[in-house]
């Protein structure tokens, strides 16, 4: 097989794979007792739905979530989850709802990163004519599929490292704020005690009265 034809075949396979899935990487902030929902459409039954989320900051890094199908039936939910990575099958055509709820927190906002991906499983089609570059095309598809899997694993590892970094930064920032306010309160307490002692001593030596005169 000539090199230009091989490159052209690789481009066609890559273009084919890129049209099999669409995804949205988003970040949302939830106030205390707030519930937000996002939606994704499934065009035909049997499509795969990938759902990933991770709480980046806020409180104990946990959140409530649920996923509903077009019939408003809950197909997956969780309570006080820190992160999750799920693959579901959309058996019903229509709009699926992905909701987060910050109900357990009364003071802290939560920052959540998430991906929603809807994809069709690739199915190989037989060549138009028997023996027509079928072996080359199959080998090329296998290579592209393996490469796609490796890229997805790298992307997942990047998300995990990003989440760990954000959580570590949030913990450090929270600890720094607590130390700052503790130092401020400690300083105010020392100043208050010093002022109170001076006032007490001044009152003791300057207080007038006949029974205190020498």
């Amino acid at each position: 097989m000539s090199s230009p034809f091989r490159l052209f075949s690789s481009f066609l396979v890559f273009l084919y794979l890129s049209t099999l899935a669409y995804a949205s990487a988003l970040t949302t902030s939830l106030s205390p007792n707030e519930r937000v929902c996002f939606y994704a459409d499934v065009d035909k039954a049997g499509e795969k739905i990938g759902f990933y989320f991770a709480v980046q900051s806020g409180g104990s890094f946990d959140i409530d979530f649920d996923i509903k199908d077009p019939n408003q039936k809950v197909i997956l939910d969780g309570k006080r989850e820190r992160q999750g990575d799920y693959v579901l099958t959309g058996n019903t055509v229509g709009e699926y709802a992905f909701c987060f709820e910050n109900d357990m927190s009364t003071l802290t906002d939560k920052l959540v990163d998430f991906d929603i991906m809807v994809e069709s499983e690739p199915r190989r089609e037989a060549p138009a004519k028997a023996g027509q570059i079928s072996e080359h095309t199959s080998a090329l598809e296998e290579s592209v599929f393996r490469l796609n899997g490796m890229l997805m694993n790298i992307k997942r590892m990047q998300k995990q490292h990003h989440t760990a970094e954000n959580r570590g930064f949030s913990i450090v920032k929270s600890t720094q704020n607590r130390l700052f306010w503790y130092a401020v309160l400690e300083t105010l307490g020392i100043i208050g005690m010093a002022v109170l002692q001076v006032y007490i001593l001044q009152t003791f030596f300057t207080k007038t009265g006949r029974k205190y005169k020498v």
Side-chain angles (χ1 to χ4, degrees):
M1 182 183 294
S2 62
S3 179
F5 182 76
R6 184 175 302 174
L7 291 176
F8 180 71
S9 301
S10 302
F11 175 75
L12 289 179
V13 173
F14 177 77
L15 188 63
Y16 169 71
L17 289 175
S18 63
T19 58
L20 289 175
Y22 60 92
S24 55
L26 300 171
T27 300
T28 183
S29 177
L30 283 84
S31 302
N33 300 317
E34 183 181 6
R35 177 181 175 88
V36 295
C37 294
F38 301 87
Y39 302 90
D41 291 324
V42 172
D43 297 328
K44 60 181 179 180
E47 288 187 337
K48 298 298 182 181
I49 304 173
F51 178 57
Y52 167 85
F53 73 91
V55 182
Q56 303 295 326
S57 63
S60 301
F61 306 102
D62 54 359
I63 201 75
D64 297 341
F65 78 95
D66 61 76
I67 303 175
K68 295 182 180 179
D69 65 7
N71 299 323
Q72 298 302 312
K73 178 183 178 181
V74 177
I75 58 178
L76 181 66
D77 62 352
K79 299 293 184 181
R80 298 182 178 274
E81 298 288 339
R82 297 167 65 93
Q83 66 183 58
D85 192 357
Y86 306 97
V87 177
L88 311 171
T89 301
N91 295 319
T92 306
V93 177
E95 190 176 64
Y96 286 72
F98 302 81
C99 299
F100 298 102
E101 188 171 3
N102 188 19
D103 191 35
M104 80 289 294
S105 178
T106 57
L107 297 174
T108 308
D109 294 346
K110 301 291 179 68
L111 184 66
V112 183
D113 284 354
F114 66 97
D115 288 340
I116 300 174
M117 181 174 63
V118 180
E119 64 179 353
S120 301
E121 289 187 351
R123 297 179 175 82
R124 298 179 184 176
E125 298 179 356
K129 296 181 180 180
Q132 182 182 10
I133 64 170
S134 59
E135 296 181 358
H136 298 285
T137 305
S138 298
L140 184 61
E141 288 180 353
E142 288 289 347
S143 299
V144 174
F145 293 150
R146 285 197 299 267
L147 181 60
N148 183 58
M150 294 171 63
L151 291 176
M152 293 300 294
N153 290 333
I154 293 174
K155 183 179 180 181
R156 188 174 291 106
M157 292 179 61
Q158 288 179 336
K159 290 178 180 178
Q160 293 175 355
H161 288 302
H162 178 68
T163 300
E165 180 183 3
N166 285 345
R167 288 177 179 176
F169 178 77
S170 179
I171 292 174
V172 170
K173 187 176 180 180
S174 176
T175 304
Q176 183 181 8
N177 289 335
R178 291 179 182 179
L179 290 174
F180 172 77
W181 288 112
Y182 176 79
V184 170
L185 292 176
E186 186 179 19
T187 302
L188 293 177
I190 294 174
I191 295 174
M193 289 295 297
V195 172
L196 182 61
Q197 289 177 356
V198 171
Y199 174 77
I200 293 175
L201 291 175
Q202 185 180 10
T203 303
F204 179 77
F205 285 105
T206 61
K207 187 173 183 181
T208 59
R210 291 183 179 180
K211 71 176 183 177
Y212 291 107
K213 289 184 178 180
V214 179

